[in-house]
Amino acid sequence: MNDYVEVRLDVTPCDETRTDILAALLAEAGFESFVPDDKGLTAYVKSELFSEDALADLVKTFPLECDIVYNKSVVEGRDWNAEWEKNYFQPIVVDEQCVIHSSFHRDIPVCRYDIVIDPKMAFGTGHHATTSLILRQLLSMNVQGLNVVDMGTGTGILAILATMRGARRVDAVEIDEFACQNAGENLRLNNAESVRLHLGDAAVLKGISDVNLFIANINRNIITADLAEYVATLAQDATVLLSGFYEEDVPVILNVAEPLGLKYESHTVIDRWTCLKLTNRK
């Protein structure tokens, strides 16, 4: 199992805006998982990716006025299912259509779509606004018969729902080896072994084409850097759902997307986090 550095950041004054921005900045620095509360944020990063200098600089240059005090500890590889059960992950219902829970939960609400996620340290239980925004899009649109890519699949939750909604082919891509293993486990838990799981970055997309729905829930910098490779996989009139960034980042994404032939359709927002919907018109 991978060892992680757990960083506790106490923020004064603390509100959701400050913890959301802090999480976004930490994500760009390689942190994978975040647990906000009313006093600050607990964040996790793989030991080999942790840089105390980078963390100190991030705290020093934080864009909103507040005091941030942090401390760190090394967390050895462990049973992350037990950690989530004990501390964080509770069942969630999305739009009264989809329930997401872990294999250890009991008294689960009954919904049309029942997804089992044992998250370990991978991102994507449905609780974060970005995941919830895309889940809602998948529940509202017609996915039947589509070829789908789930870029940065994390736990595999979006790929699983796309399969349940009738997608013809689903390719799930994850750069982190441990998260990719976790996604494979969750695919099996949900009888979604038909999903083609790929370990790697945007380079693996070279073997994928005729995509009707492309999903990327990552962060702004990765999306803008790799968007041309996403577009190269698309069929005419394909839909692209992008999340992992704030509403104020939409113009930045569009500045890259529009020259590639992607047309703005709409965007949805939860607590400033955004899901941007585009259509391939080239």
Side-chain angles (χ1 to χ4, degrees):
M1 291 186 178
N2 290 317
D3 290 344
Y4 279 76
V5 174
E6 177 185 274
V7 177
R8 173 64 200 178
L9 303 106
D10 291 314
V11 182
T12 308
C14 183
D15 57 30
E16 192 169 10
T17 297
R18 286 178 171 84
T19 55
D20 278 352
I21 293 175
L22 187 55
L25 293 172
L26 289 166
E28 293 182 359
F31 283 73
E32 297 178 11
S33 300
F34 311 94
V35 183
D37 54 52
D38 59 359
K39 294 183 179 180
L41 183 75
T42 303
Y44 296 88
V45 61
K46 283 184 178 178
S47 293
E48 63 268 25
L49 298 179
F50 176 70
S51 166
E52 185 146 12
D53 289 341
L55 177 62
D57 185 61
L58 185 155
V59 169
K60 183 179 179 180
T61 59
F62 189 70
L64 298 184
E65 185 175 346
C66 60
D67 292 323
I68 302 177
V69 177
Y70 72 86
N71 58 72
K72 68 183 191 304
S73 60
V74 175
V75 182
E76 295 181 356
R78 63 178 68 173
D79 184 350
W80 288 107
N81 290 342
E83 292 299 306
W84 279 95
E85 178 182 14
K86 183 171 64 176
N87 296 308
Y88 311 129
F89 181 30
Q90 296 300 318
I92 184 172
V93 175
V94 181
D95 287 352
E96 300 182 354
Q97 298 183 66
C98 177
V99 61
I100 302 152
H101 61 91
S102 278
S103 57
F104 48 69
H105 285 133
R106 302 294 180 266
D107 299 322
I108 301 159
V110 176
C111 291
R112 180 178 180 184
Y113 302 105
D114 186 301
I115 298 179
V116 182
I117 295 292
D118 285 342
K120 297 187 178 177
M121 279 301 288
F123 178 81
T125 61
H127 286 74
H128 194 274
T130 57
T131 310
S132 181
L133 285 163
I134 299 179
L135 288 168
R136 291 178 178 181
Q137 289 281 355
L138 289 174
L139 289 168
S140 65
M141 64 190 301
N142 183 8
V143 184
Q144 187 71 39
L146 300 186
N147 296 329
V148 179
V149 167
D150 177 20
M151 194 75 192
T153 194
T155 60
I157 186 173
L158 301 175
I160 291 165
L161 183 57
T163 300
M164 290 180 171
R165 294 277 291 153
R168 185 177 73 88
R169 187 189 77 208
V170 180
D171 288 280
V173 182
E174 175 56 52
I175 193 171
D176 181 84
E177 184 175 0
F178 189 60
C180 193
Q181 292 173 1
N182 181 221
E185 294 165 1
N186 290 321
L187 293 173
R188 289 188 289 274
L189 283 172
N190 292 274
N191 298 315
E193 291 96 333
S194 62
V195 172
R196 301 192 300 188
L197 185 59
H198 308 265
L199 175 63
D201 58 15
V204 307
L205 297 174
K206 292 179 180 179
I208 301 172
S209 60
D210 297 319
V211 174
N212 311 111
L213 173 60
F214 196 107
I215 302 165
N217 182 15
I218 309 179
N219 67 50
R220 187 192 73 181
N221 292 340
I222 293 176
I223 288 172
T224 54
D226 293 344
L227 195 55
E229 292 171 275
Y230 301 171
V231 171
T233 71
L234 300 180
Q236 180 69 24
D237 298 323
T239 297
V240 178
L241 298 176
L242 303 176
S243 195
F245 48 88
Y246 290 111
E247 186 173 20
E248 53 264 38
D249 293 321
V250 169
V252 177
I253 304 290
L254 291 178
N255 283 341
V256 178
E258 289 173 345
L260 295 172
L262 296 177
K263 178 184 176 183
Y264 171 85
E265 294 293 336
S266 63
H267 70 280
T268 51
V269 181
I270 298 177
D271 296 329
R272 294 178 55 234
W273 293 102
T274 300
C275 177
L276 178 61
K277 184 177 183 180
L278 306 169
T279 303
N280 182 36
R281 297 301 189 193
K282 211 172 225 186

